[in-house]
Amino acid sequence: MKAAIIGYGKMGREIERILKERGHEVCLIIDLDNAAQLDAAHLAGIDVAIEFTTPATAYRNIRTCLECGVAVVSGTTGWTERLPELQELCRERGGAMFYASNYCLGVNLMFRLNRQLAAMINRVGGYNVRIEEVHHTQKKDAPSGTAITLAEGIIENLSSKKGWVNYAPGIEHAANRVERSEETPADSIEIRSVREGAIPGIHTVTYESEDDILELRHTIKNRRTLALGAVVAAEFLCGKQGVYGMEDLLK
Ligand SMILES: NC(=O)c1ccc[n+]([C@@H]2O[C@H](COP(=O)([O-])OP(=O)(O)OC[C@H]3O[C@@H](n4cnc5c(N)ncnc54)[C@H](O)[C@@H]3O)[C@@H](O)[C@H]2O)c1
């Protein structure tokens, strides 16, 4: 695969390493200093471009790739209100694009397992469910977006749960906060947020009955998993037409 990297920051550098490890060719690297080189001439012969830049630049970068007929994988967050516009352009032009806000394959597998498990628990009954997310102390928001997605997956499939609350002792600005665990209503999922050390992210969904405990847990070890997911998405996209996301990759 002949690849272009757009955005040579933390993700772009990790993606370069993984592309090379997997035997791909990195033919073009675009960052701020040579952004003007993102054009048809430089993109000629590229099979896929992988874009991890900034919310202000992702739209233009992806649009340029699509206009030049180059398949594009993007993971830039914070701009996605304009994503449907580019997906439409991609379809019109018979192009190829892949977008995911989280490329960690394990997290996306967990989302799936989480929905399936909630549907199974809905049939058997007898369990209460809670979520715990543990992150480094610099993390500003609580609960994590991943924990919210997990809660939403449960709410869609488990009829006893209608919403979620956040028990986040010692964390300011927590959304849907309860001050004490005991305040969690029976029809809400308690998301407990913990901040300690330099932990990149641990998510645990726990079902507890009177007799046993069943846990689904994902632990992220480093950003390599995110970069690997983006490269696997690029391999998947290569030679295809259409608009794809992680659900398509996992099918
Ligand atoms: N989807 C996921 O799984 C996932 C994972 C990690 C990060 N992200 C997102 O990816 C983006 C990048 O993350 P990062 O950690 O690599 O950030 P970063 O700040 O380390 O790197 C961004 C790079 O983009 C460059 N850039 C800015 N404007 C540009 C332009 N017009 N053309 C080309 N390059 C340009 C910057 O100079 C910088 O080198 C962020 O939006 C982040 O939230 C998504």
Side-chain angles (χ1 to χ4, degrees):
M1 195 165 79
K2 289 185 189 305
I5 294 173
I6 309 174
Y8 199 45
K10 293 185 285 297
M11 284 300 289
R13 285 166 203 269
E14 195 66 51
I15 285 165
E16 180 187 30
R17 262 191 291 279
I18 292 170
L19 281 167
K20 288 182 177 168
E21 271 172 32
R22 292 171 76 92
H24 302 302
E25 227 180 301
V26 178
C27 302
L28 178 67
I29 297 178
I30 301 283
D31 203 272
L32 264 185
D33 55 352
N34 67 341
Q37 289 182 8
L38 189 66
D39 58 19
H42 288 88
L43 285 169
I46 298 287
D47 296 313
V48 61
I50 307 182
E51 200 273 353
F52 279 77
T53 61
T54 68
T57 54
Y59 175 89
R60 188 65 252 168
N61 292 338
I62 299 168
R63 190 171 182 108
T64 301
C65 292
L66 293 172
E67 286 172 351
C68 295
V70 172
V72 57
V73 171
S74 174
T76 308
T77 52
W79 65 278
T80 48
E81 63 287 349
R82 297 192 77 185
L83 181 61
E85 222 180 288
L86 290 180
Q87 290 173 326
E88 186 53 37
L89 179 75
C90 178
R91 287 190 190 97
E92 269 170 31
R93 298 203 168 216
M97 76 179 277
F98 194 113
Y99 182 80
S101 58
N102 191 323
Y103 277 96
C104 176
L105 296 181
V107 164
N108 285 276
L109 288 171
M110 186 190 193
F111 288 155
R112 249 187 184 204
L113 287 169
N114 174 59
R115 290 193 297 271
Q116 288 172 3
L117 183 57
M120 285 190 258
I121 296 284
N122 197 45
R123 288 194 288 276
V124 299
Y127 287 84
N128 198 7
V129 62
R130 61 181 181 273
I131 296 172
E132 184 184 73
E133 55 104 347
V134 186
H135 283 90
H136 53 87
T137 49
Q138 277 77 49
K139 188 167 174 64
K140 298 271 188 301
D141 55 321
S144 67
T146 300
I148 294 172
T149 303
L150 287 167
E152 288 169 350
I154 295 167
I155 292 161
E156 280 163 26
N157 290 284
L158 185 63
S159 57
S160 59
K161 297 296 179 188
K162 310 283 182 232
W164 57 266
V165 295
N166 191 206
Y167 176 50
I171 305 174
E172 287 170 21
H173 313 303
N176 285 5
R177 187 189 184 100
V178 289
E179 291 306 322
R180 297 180 315 125
S181 187
E182 294 73 24
E183 290 169 22
T184 300
D187 64 355
S188 290
I189 301 164
E190 180 178 303
I191 303 175
R192 185 186 169 123
S193 297
V194 178
R195 298 289 172 261
E196 61 185 47
I199 294 169
I202 304 171
H203 290 88
T204 311
V205 177
T206 302
Y207 286 90
E208 184 163 356
S209 75
E210 282 188 10
D211 306 308
D212 65 347
I213 294 175
L214 172 56
E215 285 185 344
L216 191 58
R217 170 174 299 174
H218 182 271
T219 303
I220 195 162
K221 290 164 77 178
N222 50 52
R223 79 175 58 245
R224 184 183 158 80
T225 178
L226 299 163
L228 177 62
V231 173
V232 171
E235 291 166 349
F236 167 88
L237 192 64
C238 222
K240 286 193 174 64
Q241 284 187 332
V243 170
Y244 301 94
M246 291 303 280
E247 277 297 307
D248 304 300
L249 186 59
L250 297 176
K251 262 179 205 158

